[in-house]
Amino acid sequence: MAHAKAAGHLTVPNVQALAQTWNESGEQVPERYVRTEQAGDEEVVVGSEIPVVDLGRLLDPQSSEEELRNLGSACQQGFFQIINHGVPHDVIHDMRRDITEFFKLPLEAKEVYAQLPDSVEGYGQAFVFSETQKLEWADMIYLMVRPAETRNMRFWPAQPPSLRDSVDRYSTEVANVVSCLLRFMAADMGLKQPERLLEMFAGQPQTMRVAYYPPCRQAGKVIGMSPHTDSCALTLLLHVNDVQGLQIRRNDGKWHAVDPLDGAFIISIGDTFEILSNGRYRSIEHRAMVHPDKERISAAMFHLPCPSVTIGPLPELVVGGVRARYKSVGHAEFVERFFATKLDGRRSNLEYYRISNFHLRSKQRK
Ligand code: OGA
Ligand code: NI
């Protein structure tokens, strides 16, 4: 699959195994994991809130219009949580249970699903391109999930035995929530032909990244996931256990810790949607931190357009003198570039496609 290729990416030590012995030792955290940009004194704002979107209210004709305005504003802020999403409790429960069980397996059992060279699919780590690059304090498992024919079961854990079925059921539910959100987002953007947007997501393409962040005695010195924006259109994030660590960078330039409501999913607008919406919706930089004595597990479901789609501002949004703020690019090329670039914060892949002199040019024309 084009979107799993990561030419030249390197394999790295298993962090869960490393943490088990290192946390017991009296040693300093290995140099390769010490983050330079993270002196530990950087200000992090706790207790700030992200918008809450109520899917039940969106679907109820009585409240739909009002909640649609709320959704529109949430998408412009880039990060929000959804409640009343209708995903059955047992589906979420089984997903959480089986993912947690998988990471409890001995290393040899997990490594059956290890990544192969030049692909990020499977158990391992992504975005590592040099022996000197700083590393993240996390392991992950990355899978193609939808459409079903993209699945490579070689990488799908068969332990615990119910995991495949749990992921499948969860994936279906989540993809339906996202399809529903897409319809409302089309309405918020004022699209007269919403089906053109929905067709881009035919077959509900979806990949999954489950991250395991082991505890780290010197948590302030390491990072679980480097600052980045998501490349996809929409991410739906589940906290598999109740340990927080997600932080977003707001317009004030500070990192804000995100603490979701019980039972809510976190939704993030990805680069693809920022481009499709011609900048109306924003893809926000975020990162994941590590806890000093608790493991943290998250499951991100990434929703992408079909591989054949050209990503660019939706034609309906660049009419009547409104200019495209991003270049158009084939989806395969867009994703390949994302995976071939180290995660180095500020919207690096997105900036590449931004028409940088947009403001200047539009001013000159006035
Ligand atoms: C991601 C991501 C955050 C987290 O997988 O893209 O941002 O909290 N994860 O694990
Ligand atoms: Ni992310």
Side-chain angles (χ1 to χ4, degrees):
M1 285 298 299
H3 52 284
K5 282 235 175 75
H9 98 111
L10 304 176
T11 50
V12 295
N14 184 272
V15 186
Q16 187 176 0
L18 171 85
Q20 263 156 15
T21 47
W22 176 79
N23 273 319
E24 303 295 314
S25 77
E27 289 162 28
Q28 293 295 308
V29 73
E31 202 47 44
R32 269 192 97 183
Y33 297 90
V34 176
R35 307 291 299 194
T36 42
E37 67 271 34
Q38 258 234 176
D41 54 358
E42 207 178 33
E43 191 184 346
V44 173
V45 183
V46 288
S48 56
E49 280 161 18
I50 57 170
V52 181
V53 172
D54 185 330
L55 196 54
R57 275 174 53 80
L58 271 173
L59 291 165
D60 177 352
Q62 295 282 320
S63 46
S64 192
E65 209 173 300
E66 195 184 337
E67 197 60 19
L68 187 62
R69 283 195 293 277
N70 183 31
L71 173 71
S73 147
C75 290
Q76 289 176 35
Q77 294 175 58
F79 246 90
F80 56 97
Q81 44 190 334
I82 43 164
I83 57 168
N84 288 325
H85 44 65
V87 177
H89 216 267
D90 64 308
V91 171
I92 298 175
H93 171 268
D94 292 356
M95 173 82 178
R96 284 188 164 134
R97 179 199 58 210
D98 290 348
I99 296 284
T100 307
E101 286 303 310
F102 171 73
F103 287 105
K104 284 189 191 152
L105 296 173
L107 182 59
E108 313 78 72
K110 288 182 294 228
E111 284 192 328
V112 170
Y113 311 100
Q115 292 165 333
L116 300 175
D118 288 352
S119 168
V120 292
E121 198 166 5
Y123 180 57
Q125 192 46 282
F127 307 108
V128 182
F129 302 101
S130 93
E131 298 291 349
T132 55
Q133 189 182 323
K134 292 292 183 183
L135 300 180
E136 295 171 338
W137 195 261
D139 305 314
M140 64 150 207
I141 184 156
Y142 185 82
L143 299 174
M144 306 291 146
V145 181
R146 303 179 84 88
E149 59 272 21
T150 63
R151 295 180 186 182
N152 185 345
M153 299 318 284
R154 188 197 170 301
F155 296 110
W156 284 55
Q159 288 297 330
S162 51
L163 183 141
R164 291 177 174 184
D165 184 50
S166 298
V167 172
D168 182 55
R169 287 190 302 138
Y170 179 75
S171 147
T172 304
E173 293 287 345
V174 160
N176 290 339
V177 169
V178 167
S179 296
C180 186
L181 281 175
L182 284 174
R183 281 208 314 278
F184 287 111
M185 289 161 85
D188 171 66
M189 289 188 285
L191 300 183
K192 294 190 183 63
Q193 296 173 302
E195 59 290 348
R196 305 248 320 245
L197 175 71
L198 301 176
E199 277 162 13
M200 293 175 123
F201 294 88
Q204 303 177 306
Q206 184 189 54
T207 64
M208 177 175 87
R209 176 187 188 275
V210 178
Y212 180 88
Y213 305 100
C216 178
R217 199 163 35 76
Q218 296 184 313
K221 289 198 169 175
V222 302
I223 198 157
M225 192 174 190
S226 302
H228 67 283
T229 56
D230 294 344
S231 166
C232 65
L234 275 184
T235 305
L236 189 147
L237 186 79
L238 171 73
H239 281 76
V240 174
N241 62 358
D242 63 3
V243 180
Q244 313 304 328
L246 177 65
Q247 297 180 353
I248 61 175
R249 204 198 293 266
R250 287 243 165 96
N251 285 341
D252 60 8
K254 293 181 187 152
W255 290 104
H256 293 250
V258 172
D259 192 359
L261 297 172
D262 246 6
F265 293 126
I266 291 177
I267 303 277
S268 111
I269 300 283
D271 297 348
T272 300
F273 229 120
E274 177 165 328
I275 296 177
L276 292 177
S277 71
N278 201 28
R280 176 189 177 95
Y281 297 162
R282 301 266 294 152
S283 174
I284 298 291
E285 192 180 2
H286 54 283
R287 65 182 187 179
M289 308 310 274
V290 171
H291 196 278
D293 47 48
K294 289 184 194 160
E295 63 182 17
R296 173 169 187 261
I297 311 176
S298 70
M301 302 301 261
F302 302 117
H303 300 86
L304 314 106
C306 306
S308 58
V309 159
T310 298
I311 300 176
L314 294 168
E316 271 200 68
L317 300 179
V318 285
V319 290
V322 178
R323 300 182 63 90
R325 300 171 72 168
Y326 304 87
K327 295 173 225 166
S328 294
V329 54
H331 186 240
E333 183 193 326
F334 183 72
V335 178
E336 217 157 291
R337 212 180 161 281
F338 173 73
F339 276 118
T341 318
K342 183 162 85 72
L343 289 187
D344 57 358
R346 291 209 68 75
R347 303 144 60 88
S348 44
N349 198 28
L350 187 61
E351 291 309 324
Y352 183 81
Y353 296 102
R354 188 190 295 282
I355 298 176
S356 53
N357 55 354
F358 165 77
H359 293 291
L360 193 66
R361 268 212 322 247
S362 55
K363 267 189 205 135
Q364 280 169 348
R365 282 174 191 248
K366 273 186 191 151

